[in-house]
Every structure is written in C-alpha cells, then in structure tokens.
C-alpha cells in the first residue's frame, strides 16, 4: 500500500479543522494492517492451480536432491478453507497390464500463502521460496 494512498485516506476523513477523530484513525490503521498482512503472508486472491503446481515442482527439485522433477503434478483435492493437496508423481508402465502412479511427494498447501506441510514427512514447506528457480517441466 503506497504512502500516497494512506495519506489521502487521512486527509479525506479529517474534518476541516484537521483534527483526527479516534475512530477514523483506528479504521485507517486497521486497513493498513490488513493490507500489510496480505502482502506479508501471501496473495489476497491466492495462487492459481497452475502456479501452485509449478511452485511445488520447483520446490521438489530444489529440496529432493534429484536432477529431474516428477512427470506429473496436480491438485488432488481442495478443502473449503483454501488448503490444497498437491500430488507429485510419475507413471510407470506395467506392460500389457497397464500402468500405475508412483508418488514422489504430497504437499498440503495454503492457497493464499503458498506455505504448508509435506503430507508424508510433516516437515514445513514454503513453495514461494523456490518458485520459478528450478525450471519446471510441468505437464
């Protein structure tokens, strides 16, 4: 939130004598705090499915020590509170019988912040720290 925008809010709510009403000051500080919380903790609108999948793949490549990412990354499910379960996996052919998925990782992530936990190891995961740095090959 820019300083110019904040100062314009102050001047719009001040009476002609330029004395600040306590309620108005509280309202402005509340708006500034909430806006700052969104900027610090993530995006107000949340990350898209595609962004989360790319970020998950980049995070996996950086933290797993493997040179290649999983063959597939998808949002497996989403809860009402914005938590998404991201599945990173490969498909292995079984010959004439078909194929099956081989899981590389499961991440439970908050859509707004890009942070969460590895659903297998329960370690903290921050997808925003690795976003775009590993060269995703998302399919």
């Amino acid at each position: 939130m820019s300083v110019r925008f904040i100062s314009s809010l102050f001047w719009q709510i001040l009476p002609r004598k330029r004395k600040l009403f306590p309620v108005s000051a509280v309202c402005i500080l509340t708006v500034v705090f909430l806006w700052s919380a969104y900027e610090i903790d993530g995006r107000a609108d949340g990350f898209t499915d595609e962004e989360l999948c790319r970020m998950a793949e980049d995070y996996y490549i950086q933290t797993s020590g493997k040179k290649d990412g999983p063959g597939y990354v998808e949002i497996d499910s989403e809860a009402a509170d914005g938590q998404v379960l991201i599945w990173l996996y490969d498909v292995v052919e079984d010959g004439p019988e078909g194929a099956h998925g081989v899981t590389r990782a499961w991440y439970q992530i908050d859509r707004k912040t890009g942070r969460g936990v590895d659903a297998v190891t329960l370690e903290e995961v921050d997808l925003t720290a690795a976003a775009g740095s590993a060269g995703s090959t998302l399919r």
Side-chain angles (χ1 to χ4, degrees):
M1 182 175 284
S2 72
V3 173
R4 178 179 283 187
F5 177 70
I6 294 170
S7 66
S8 71
L9 281 178
F10 274 111
W11 289 114
Q12 287 176 12
I13 64 169
L14 291 175
R16 289 184 184 171
K17 293 182 181 179
R18 300 291 187 224
K19 291 183 180 177
L20 184 62
F21 291 124
V23 173
S24 300
V26 169
C27 290
I28 288 176
L29 291 174
T30 302
V31 167
V32 169
F33 173 76
L34 291 174
W35 187 273
S36 297
Y38 277 127
E39 290 180 350
I40 292 168
D41 292 336
R43 295 171 31 173
D45 58 344
F47 293 100
T48 65
D49 287 355
E50 184 174 308
E51 288 171 326
L52 286 171
C53 288
R54 287 189 190 283
M55 292 163 59
E57 182 178 18
D58 289 345
Y59 180 84
Y60 177 83
I61 291 170
Q62 282 191 3
T63 60
S64 69
K66 300 188 187 255
K67 293 182 181 181
D68 63 335
Y72 300 90
V73 179
E74 64 183 54
I75 303 293
D76 182 70
S77 60
E78 181 169 4
D81 65 355
Q83 294 285 318
V84 294
L85 187 60
I86 303 173
W87 183 28
L88 296 87
Y89 65 100
D90 291 311
V91 174
V92 176
E93 298 293 329
D94 289 333
E97 296 85 37
H100 68 276
V102 176
T103 299
R104 289 214 194 180
W106 287 98
Y107 299 141
Q108 183 175 344
I109 302 295
D110 183 298
R111 181 178 290 283
K112 287 186 178 182
T113 65
R115 297 180 184 106
V117 296
D118 183 312
V120 176
T121 66
L122 301 180
E123 294 177 359
E124 288 187 22
V125 171
D126 183 358
L127 301 184
T128 62
S133 56
S136 302
T137 57
L138 185 66
R139 294 179 193 159

